[in-house]
Amino acid sequence: MGQHARLAVTPLAIAVLALLDERPMHPYEAYQLLIARREDILVKVRPGSLYHTVTRLADQGMVQAEGVDRDGNRPERTTYRITESGRETLRSRVAEILRNPGREYPVFPVALAEAHNLPAPEVLALLRERVERLAQDLADIDMMSQWAGIHAVPRRYWIVLPYLHATIAAEIAWVGNLISELDSGEMEWDEFDPATGARITEHQHPWSDQEHSEPPPVPRRWNEASA
């Protein structure tokens, strides 16, 4: 698989290729199936982006137009099927992701790293709100898992749900511990003026260039992943 093709295989492209590996279908049908199967909890699904993804996959020879049909007065719809190149790309990309825990750069750790720019009471309120939303996400995952079990859906089709449950539960526990540490005063925090929001504490990052001539160590594999 070439570098150009590899870059095109976004999470949505993987989902589309997997659907077309089941059977040929038109993009709107693929969109409906992704929503019905609740795969929108895994990838961002929008009709426009899905059509764009199908077009890009067709340009790269991973899918191919098979025919055009019309349902009543609705516009014509082009049906696509996966090609051998697309099937090989799908399997190679899934295998690559399963094998390699690549750096994905989620946004929450960025906010954690910069949370010190907010007053402690605000951070506490925001984190508590996050925990409430995560708890709702956890309940939704549990509901989907129960539905799959009741309807005897083969486990290989929903092994992602226990994974999501474990990761969300772990985040809830970790954030809960952080809330306790911050709320108790165990963690030191800068002081902010309640009226103006201005920082009162003198602010200088301990890893500034003035303080340290060398940056903190970086794990070797992180360097390899960014190369």
Side-chain angles (χ1 to χ4, degrees):
M1 179 170 56
Q3 180 69 13
H4 180 63
R6 181 179 182 275
L7 291 175
V9 189
T10 61
L12 182 56
I14 292 174
V16 169
L17 287 172
L19 284 180
L20 295 181
D21 194 35
E22 296 179 20
R23 59 179 172 84
M25 64 185 73
H26 53 75
Y28 187 69
E29 184 181 5
Y31 168 76
Q32 289 178 312
L33 268 178
L34 288 174
I35 297 300
R37 295 178 180 180
R38 291 302 311 274
E39 293 198 34
D40 54 320
I41 68 173
L42 304 177
V43 294
K44 187 175 182 179
V45 182
R46 297 288 186 274
S49 58
L50 192 145
Y51 276 89
H52 177 73
T53 296
V54 171
T55 299
R56 186 171 55 183
L57 291 173
D59 290 341
Q60 296 182 350
M62 297 186 200
V63 303
Q64 180 177 316
E66 187 173 69
V68 178
D69 59 17
R70 181 190 294 272
D71 184 7
N73 295 324
R74 294 180 179 179
E76 292 182 344
R77 291 176 175 172
T78 302
T79 297
Y80 291 86
R81 66 174 178 83
I82 194 170
T83 64
E84 284 303 316
S85 173
R87 185 172 290 109
E88 178 184 353
T89 298
L90 168 65
R91 294 175 178 177
S92 297
R93 187 67 177 125
V94 169
E96 179 185 4
I97 296 171
L98 289 174
R99 177 190 306 114
N100 179 32
R103 300 288 296 158
E104 297 181 355
Y105 302 101
V107 69
F108 180 54
V110 178
L112 280 176
E114 302 302 335
H116 57 83
N117 289 292
L118 300 176
E122 183 177 355
V123 173
L124 280 168
L126 295 170
L127 290 177
R128 287 178 175 131
E129 183 177 348
R130 182 181 185 89
V131 168
E132 290 178 1
R133 294 182 176 183
L134 287 172
Q136 182 59 58
D137 291 342
L138 199 62
D140 291 342
I141 295 297
D142 288 341
M143 181 175 60
M144 285 186 280
S145 296
Q146 292 171 8
W147 181 93
I150 291 172
H151 290 80
V153 178
R155 186 167 167 77
R156 65 184 179 276
Y157 292 113
W158 54 282
I159 54 175
V160 68
L161 295 181
Y163 169 79
L164 292 176
H165 182 283
T167 55
I168 294 173
E171 182 175 337
I172 290 175
W174 189 90
V175 173
N177 289 334
L178 176 60
I179 289 173
S180 297
E181 188 177 1
L182 187 56
D183 194 28
S184 67
E186 181 181 354
M187 180 182 296
E188 295 182 357
W189 207 263
D190 287 348
E191 294 293 330
F192 291 78
D193 187 332
T196 65
R199 190 191 305 269
I200 298 174
T201 310
E202 183 178 350
H203 179 57
Q204 183 176 12
H205 199 292
W207 289 344
S208 65
D209 292 338
Q210 292 79 11
E211 293 287 332
H212 296 280
S213 59
E214 297 182 3
V218 178
R220 182 177 60 183
R221 197 180 66 79
W222 290 16
N223 284 329
E224 292 173 352
S226 61

